[in-house]
Amino acid sequence: MRYSILKYLFIFCLSIALYACNMESNDILFPAKQLIERQIGIRANEITYQVIEPVNGKETFEIEARDGVLVLKGSSTVAICYAFHTYLKEACHAMKTWSGEHIELPEIWPDYIAKKQTTPYSYRYFLNVCTYGYTTPYWNWDRWEKEIDWMALRGVNMPLATVASEAIAERVWLRMGLTKEEIRAFFTAPAHLPWHRMGNLNTWDGPLSDKWQESQIEMQHLIINRMRELGMQPIAPAFAGFVPMAFAEKHPAVKFKHLKWGGFDDKYNAYVLPPDSPFFEEIGKMFIEEWEKEFGRNTYYLSDSFNEMELPIEKEDIEGKHKLLAQYGESIYRSITAGNPDAVWVTQGWTFGYQHSFWDKESLQALLSRVPDDKMIIVDLGNDYPKWVWNTEQTWKVHDGFYGKKWIFSYVPNFGGKTPMTGDLQMYASSSSEALHSKSCGNLIGFGSAPEGLENNEVVYELLADMGWTDQSIDLDKWLKSYCEARYGKYPDAMKEAWVLFRKSAYSSLYSYPRFTWQTVTPDQRRISKIDTSDDFLRAVELFLTCADSLQNSELYVNDAIEYAAYYVAAKADKLYVKALKENTIGDKLAAQYTLRQVVDLLLDVDKLLASHPLYRLEEWVELARNSGTTSEEKDKYESNAKRLITTWGGFQEDYAARFWSGLIKDYYIPRLKLYFSEQWEDLDRWEETWINTPWHNTTKPFENPVNIAVELVNKAKVF
């Protein structure tokens, strides 16, 4: 009897253990299978999915395909998704991207054996605070779902998630005694919210509506739930010390600091609490409480109090500066952990490099000094910029691996959503590996990228995805062959030669402001435009287009041919436009007008060519903005806000986010050029504002056979 009881007890315990194991497996496998089904439909059912153990705590995957049986193994959902992405690319020569797909799956899964691969990083980070303005402000769930899938397929497990920040903040400020009207006056319009969240900008183009706040809460639930379902660790927003003007007015005894940013009037700039104010911890605690009350428990919280801004202190008072920074570091950390003792403070390291003269060793050490090492992560945002823009050492090197704090190696491959081809592929293929193997890398726990604008330069992001899963440099010759075969189906000799030249030109450079002169009307003396349209680049485009006959049935080849040809013709137009400016300056008006007509003709061809591109169209940007509104008035307002961000922006940011888009070229850039060369040039600012506030309707009809036209236009433009 006793034996029977023990026997049944053993069987019961074993069943419970197996059930728990299966539940854990399903938690990993089922979301991965669902995601893969969203990519390839019912063929996801032909794949076998298995859970394996991580290696030394790091995510791991294996791929086995033999005799038509495909097995994907992973220690996490994201690992399995990345394994599938790898198999698609390397075994099936297939790819699904922002701009389309090349997926012609064979009936039988090709044989493929991959050794077990383990990421050297605990976290693969993605997104930028500014992405939520330059790319995603008006996205619907359909677009967000695709992006979260894109992230998982590329191994991302730590995305930034700041949607609905203002809806949560509003609840906090109501608790602090402000009226809804006072709170709403604090917020900017949707496309400018990233700079509001970082304390750079208040009120601009606002306020927000009830419907907006409600819709963002709903959207964030969908986003957070899907990220968690896939095993990701989202970074949520936290309080950084910035308060509404009305709050400052109600508390005159508090010595708020009034900061400056971006050339805006004082009324648009931020008031920030002093670090020793008891309000700091009280409000910060409420932010965490309200966020977790709505979206559930979280671990990682982003707070940035000094993005591109210096503290208003006496420059000679070094001791006072360090004391204040130490107080701010402590106050931010305490305000987060007051709401969740297990929370980790995440901060962007961008400003430490951007303002390197302010953030010397002693200053950054002061900021970090009162925060436990295991309770903070620094996202070293822009490791590409020291080489190309700042002329400094990489920030992590300057700051000794950030003095014991955890940190993430990241890049900022894109600013403002500007679309021209740019990026240092060799650096992307090697620099993070060098950091990993450095004796002074400190507590490096992650790798990622933080583009301000998505949907451009896809080769860069495919390369960075693979860098997140290796501690070695990548051989670009081999990698580009695999990339092109997956993207287009073939890698002919002419394309190989084209990529040699692309790597020597556009993809061996990185600039903050890759814009054509015709996009800024006159040369921007403050933000110098740099874009590589050298002879090597132009020859690369010509070579790429020679593959049109054999690849014109490849969707991604057609899209890239359209894009590259458009840059080619636009570069020729730019050369002529600079000539027209010179003619106009010396008073040769007839010659200037003749040259300008040539420029306009070329740009009209570019506009019509880009009308066939899936990404480079103003139409989609406007439609997303308008569809976010619930009334005609709100639709008009969101459209004007979306157009303002990519044109005049505000402050002294004009033309910062210059987009190379059909519709924008024809209806904004070209009329603006004509106006500048006319006797009404002084009306330029008024005309821009009128265009922004007038609903736009697309009138561009695309070419019937854009890839053939792309070849014709390039051949036609060679003479210029």
Side-chain angles (χ1 to χ4, degrees), residues 568-639:
Y568 186 106
V569 178
K572 296 290 187 174
D574 207 48
K575 180 180 177 182
L576 284 171
Y577 184 68
V578 171
K579 179 173 178 276
L581 285 174
K582 291 178 181 177
E583 291 167 340
N584 196 54
T585 299
I586 64 175
D588 194 346
K589 302 296 183 181
L590 288 177
Q593 286 296 330
Y594 175 77
T595 307
L596 182 64
R597 284 195 294 273
Q598 291 179 303
V599 172
V600 169
D601 288 344
L602 289 173
L603 291 181
L604 285 172
D605 285 339
V606 170
D607 187 87
K608 192 167 184 177
L609 185 58
L610 287 174
S612 296
H613 197 278
L615 300 177
Y616 298 158
R617 296 178 293 114
L618 177 62
E619 186 173 30
E620 183 179 5
W621 183 250
V622 168
E623 283 182 1
L624 284 168
R626 293 193 67 83
N627 289 341
S628 297
T630 55
T631 65
S632 58
E633 180 183 4
E634 196 171 45
K635 288 175 182 290
D636 288 347
K637 179 182 176 182
Y638 289 162
E639 177 185 340

Side-chain angles (χ1 to χ4, degrees), residues 95-110:
M95 179 179 289
K96 195 167 187 176
T97 74
W98 290 318
S99 61
E101 64 182 49
H102 174 254
I103 298 184
E104 298 174 0
L105 299 180
E107 291 185 11
I108 304 297
W109 296 117

Side-chain angles (χ1 to χ4, degrees), residues 316-598:
E316 295 77 18
D317 186 9
I318 303 300
E319 184 179 345
K321 172 186 177 182
H322 294 164
K323 179 181 178 182
L324 191 62
L325 287 172
Q327 289 175 327
Y328 265 115
E330 181 179 25
S331 294
I332 294 168
Y333 166 69
R334 288 172 62 89
S335 73
I336 293 171
T337 54
N340 178 350
D342 298 322
V344 175
W345 173 21
V346 181
T347 191
Q348 298 179 100
W350 166 258
T351 199
F352 305 146
Y354 178 78
Q355 294 176 294
H356 45 268
S357 59
F358 179 87
W359 291 101
D360 55 28
K361 287 177 177 287
E362 292 76 15
S363 297
L364 184 52
Q365 284 177 303
L367 179 71
L368 309 181
S369 61
R370 301 177 187 176
V371 183
D373 287 350
D374 62 344
K375 289 291 189 175
M376 186 176 195
I377 296 176
I378 298 169
V379 183
D380 192 15
L381 220 65
N383 271 283
D384 24 17
Y385 274 71
K387 173 182 176 180
W388 285 103
V389 182
W390 300 333
N391 297 313
T392 64
E393 279 279 15
Q394 289 176 315
T395 308
W396 68 268
K397 295 179 183 177
V398 173
H399 288 287
D400 303 333
F402 297 106
Y403 313 115
K405 298 295 186 287
K406 297 178 181 179
W407 68 283
I408 292 172
F409 185 106
S410 172
Y411 297 108
V412 184
N414 179 274
F415 270 70
K418 293 180 278 288
T419 54
M421 297 162 68
T422 185
D424 186 341
L425 293 188
Q426 187 56 52
M427 177 183 64
Y428 293 142
S430 59
S431 190
S432 56
S433 172
E434 292 167 6
L436 269 175
H437 294 287
S438 169
K439 293 180 180 179
S440 58
C441 71
N443 199 359
L444 173 55
I445 62 163
F447 171 82
S449 63
E452 289 191 345
L454 308 181
E455 301 180 335
N456 59 75
N457 288 286
E458 290 181 307
V459 64
V460 169
Y461 299 99
E462 296 298 336
L463 177 59
L464 292 179
D466 290 345
M467 287 302 296
W469 287 80
T470 180
D471 64 352
Q472 301 298 314
S473 296
I474 284 178
D475 183 328
L476 280 177
D477 292 328
K478 293 179 181 178
W479 186 90
L480 278 168
K481 180 178 185 295
S482 175
Y483 170 80
C484 289
E485 288 174 344
R487 190 170 179 85
Y488 311 123
K490 297 179 182 178
Y491 190 44
D493 289 342
M495 185 179 289
K496 180 178 180 181
E497 192 177 346
W499 270 104
V500 169
L501 294 175
F502 280 143
R503 285 169 61 184
K504 284 178 63 179
S505 55
Y507 286 122
S508 186
S509 63
L510 181 72
Y511 303 113
S512 303
Y513 313 111
R515 301 169 295 179
F516 293 106
T517 309
W518 52 261
Q519 289 180 290
T520 58
V521 183
T522 57
D524 188 339
Q525 300 302 320
R526 183 172 177 274
R527 290 189 165 102
I528 305 300
S529 299
K530 291 184 180 180
I531 184 168
D532 194 317
T533 55
S534 62
D535 289 344
D536 280 341
F537 174 79
L538 298 177
R539 178 59 183 153
V541 174
E542 293 169 4
L543 285 164
F544 188 88
L545 292 176
T546 64
C547 306
D549 288 342
S550 62
L551 290 173
Q552 59 184 326
N553 293 324
S554 165
E555 177 188 357
L556 288 173
Y557 175 80
V558 170
N559 292 342
D560 287 354
I562 290 170
E563 178 184 355
Y564 299 167
Y567 289 139
Y568 186 106
V569 178
K572 296 290 187 174
D574 207 48
K575 180 180 177 182
L576 284 171
Y577 184 68
V578 171
K579 179 173 178 276
L581 285 174
K582 291 178 181 177
E583 291 167 340
N584 196 54
T585 299
I586 64 175
D588 194 346
K589 302 296 183 181
L590 288 177
Q593 286 296 330
Y594 175 77
T595 307
L596 182 64
R597 284 195 294 273
Q598 291 179 303

Side-chain angles (χ1 to χ4, degrees), residues 232-267:
M232 297 177 177
Q233 293 275 5
I235 301 174
F239 180 59
F242 306 111
V243 303
M245 294 71 75
F247 184 83
E249 291 166 359
K250 289 178 187 296
H251 300 279
V254 178
K255 295 180 180 179
F256 295 94
K257 297 185 183 300
H258 195 185
L259 305 179
K260 293 183 179 296
W261 181 85
F264 284 89
D265 292 341
D266 284 350
K267 64 181 178 180

Side-chain angles (χ1 to χ4, degrees), residues 3 164 187 200 208 260 285 471 483 518 614 675:
Y3 171 77
F187 301 138
N200 303 127
L208 301 174
K260 293 183 179 296
K285 180 182 180 183
D471 64 352
Y483 170 80
W518 52 261
L675 184 61

Side-chain angles (χ1 to χ4, degrees), residues 162-233:
T162 60
V163 168
S165 297
E166 292 66 43
I168 297 301
E170 186 168 300
R171 297 176 186 179
V172 173
W173 296 121
L174 285 170
R175 287 174 63 180
M176 294 302 296
L178 299 188
T179 66
K180 183 182 286 188
E181 291 71 25
E182 290 172 330
I183 299 165
R184 295 286 172 87
F186 182 45
F187 301 138
T188 67
H192 288 81
L193 284 174
W195 298 273
H196 171 76
R197 293 165 186 167
M198 293 184 290
N200 303 127
L201 187 63
N202 299 329
T203 305
W204 186 251
D205 240 11
L208 301 174
S209 67
D210 287 340
K211 288 293 185 182
W212 175 264
Q213 300 286 54
E214 293 165 7
S215 70
Q216 294 302 285
I217 288 287
E218 293 174 8
M219 184 66 69
Q220 182 72 326
H221 271 292
L222 293 170
I223 291 168
I224 292 293
N225 289 346
R226 178 58 57 80
M227 287 177 174
R228 288 173 173 162
E229 175 186 304
L230 294 169
M232 297 177 177
Q233 293 275 5

